[in-house]
Amino acid sequence: MTGRRIVVTGGAGFLGSHLCERLVERGDAVVCLDNLSTGRVANVEHLFGRPGFTFVEHDVSTYIWVPGEVDAVLHFASPASPADYLALPIQTLKVGSLGTHNALGLSKAKGARFLLASTSEVYGDPLVHPQPETYWGNVNPIGPRGVYDEAKRFAEAMTMAYHRYHGLETRIARIFNTYGPRMRPDDGRVVSNLVVQALTGRPLTIYGDGTQTRSFCYVDDEVAGLLALLDSEVDEPVNIGNPDEYTVAELAQLVVGIVGRGEIEYHPLPVDDPVRRRPDITRARELLGWRPGIDLAEGLALTVDWFRRELGL
Ligand code: UDP
């Protein structure tokens, strides 16, 4: 799919802006919608004036109407960092439910393909490891993270209902921890926190004892996987992530090694923080022919360089 007209909700966010950029580069026209609650105009400013790129400041939880033909709708609007969705709980529930309904409605009206940005959080604190798409998850609906997890689970259910009932062409990407340029320095996620802390000479904050694990995917790999899914015929959910698993303590050591300094400081573990997380990417490998190619050390070095420039250091 190139030379198409594509709507990206949350297009000024971290992942959304990289998607917009790749789509413009490959010759698609892009309508980027964002209410700028966690997104930033600076993320897409370099695309202003590029042929076919339009930015509209808009809250997709209210309604969405885009004049003209649309070939695909990529629904990426949502706070995604735990710190952000804990600060914006109602907005997070609304964009995952009402926003998804609106984005699906736009897709249906236009006969456009729909891609949902879902999440590894649908697996909650997983009891199956690594997580295949067939695992139903272990989510606390009334815990603080429930506002994100349940909104995304509802979004998946709504997407499948539009697929089954209306015959809409739908794609569901379950995105695992992604990092890289354009993360907000203050977004509260572990990679941005540790990198910014190391670069500015502050202690690196490890929550809990640092033995919990995550599997980190560099943003360029993630976007390549998302576009492979968009262009595929796969309507089942697909994990898009990097299966290399690290403890948070190992991640901190890597950051210290790259930046060349950093004291560690221990803080309490947030409520319901998943103990371990690692995608089983068999489905993505077999059905999309996709796998990540950038390892954590390489991706972190690129991310550190970017933050250095961003922070003017
Ligand atoms: N974390 C940490 N220090 C930080 C921020 C996060 O140790 O400054 C931990 C957090 O408790 C979790 C992991 O790092 O175990 C990943 O957190 P993040 O907020 O990046 O995303 P999550 O995977 O929890 O959605």
Side-chain angles (χ1 to χ4, degrees):
M1 282 179 80
T2 56
R4 312 289 174 95
R5 187 158 183 259
I6 299 188
V7 173
V8 182
T9 78
F14 164 51
L15 264 179
S17 67
H18 283 278
L19 264 177
C20 288
E21 184 175 285
R22 278 295 301 126
L23 292 169
V24 166
E25 277 168 7
R26 78 179 199 180
D28 292 321
V30 172
V31 181
C32 166
L33 307 179
D34 205 300
N35 72 347
L36 303 177
S37 71
T38 60
R40 300 189 293 180
V41 172
N43 287 342
V44 287
E45 234 162 11
H46 63 294
L47 300 175
F48 289 10
R50 293 281 290 268
F53 182 80
T54 317
F55 170 75
V56 183
E57 186 175 339
H58 181 65
D59 180 355
V60 298
S61 297
T62 54
Y63 67 93
I64 312 174
W65 184 246
V66 174
E69 275 182 29
V70 174
D71 300 295
V73 176
L74 315 187
H75 183 39
F76 278 71
S78 178
S81 154
D84 286 342
Y85 60 72
L86 297 181
L88 301 166
I90 315 284
Q91 292 93 325
T92 301
L93 282 158
K94 283 174 76 174
V95 77
S97 54
L98 308 177
T100 301
H101 189 207
N102 291 335
L104 282 162
L106 176 70
S107 290
K108 178 169 164 273
K110 302 290 185 179
R113 185 173 284 194
F114 178 82
L115 186 146
L116 174 69
S118 186
T119 170
S120 56
E121 282 282 327
V122 299
Y123 303 122
D125 193 359
L127 304 175
V128 171
H129 192 77
Q131 295 80 56
E133 293 86 348
T134 47
Y135 177 47
W136 290 357
N138 177 40
V139 169
N140 176 3
I142 56 162
R145 298 175 86 99
V147 299
Y148 184 67
D149 302 10
E150 295 295 6
K152 291 291 189 181
R153 289 170 68 93
F154 174 89
E156 288 199 7
M158 190 65 133
T159 300
M160 290 310 294
Y162 266 71
H163 174 65
R164 295 197 181 104
Y165 187 74
H166 292 305
L168 196 70
E169 283 189 23
T170 56
R171 308 285 176 264
I172 297 176
R174 292 190 179 148
I175 299 169
F176 285 65
N177 296 65
T178 304
Y179 69 99
R182 298 197 201 131
M183 299 184 90
R184 283 192 350 263
D186 64 346
D187 84 353
R189 286 190 263 207
V190 68
V191 171
S192 40
N193 270 8
L194 298 183
V195 167
V196 171
Q197 288 158 349
L199 285 173
T200 55
R202 285 179 288 142
L204 275 63
T205 54
I206 289 187
Y207 301 166
D209 61 6
T211 57
Q212 72 272 34
T213 70
R214 294 294 186 272
S215 306
F216 300 96
C217 190
Y218 188 67
V219 64
D220 290 357
D221 278 336
E222 185 68 35
V223 167
L226 294 168
L227 293 184
L229 176 61
L230 174 67
D231 295 342
S232 77
E233 297 306 314
V234 182
D235 49 39
E236 300 163 314
V238 182
N239 290 336
I240 306 286
N242 188 321
D244 292 343
E245 184 180 3
Y246 291 82
T247 66
V248 166
E250 287 167 341
L251 172 70
Q253 283 316 317
L254 272 173
V255 171
V256 170
I258 292 166
V259 176
R261 64 174 173 196
E263 303 276 303
I264 303 291
E265 193 176 82
Y266 291 90
H267 289 255
L269 193 66
V271 177
D272 293 340
D273 199 276
V275 174
R276 51 195 189 154
R277 177 182 294 158
R278 174 186 182 180
D280 178 334
I281 62 161
T282 309
R283 198 177 272 184
R285 276 196 281 105
E286 290 180 354
L287 300 185
L288 309 181
W290 171 86
R291 69 175 74 204
I294 299 167
D295 70 23
L296 186 56
E298 189 185 346
L300 275 180
L302 295 167
T303 305
V304 166
D305 283 346
W306 182 83
F307 270 114
R308 229 185 228 122
R309 288 195 301 276
E310 175 76 1
L311 301 172
L313 299 170

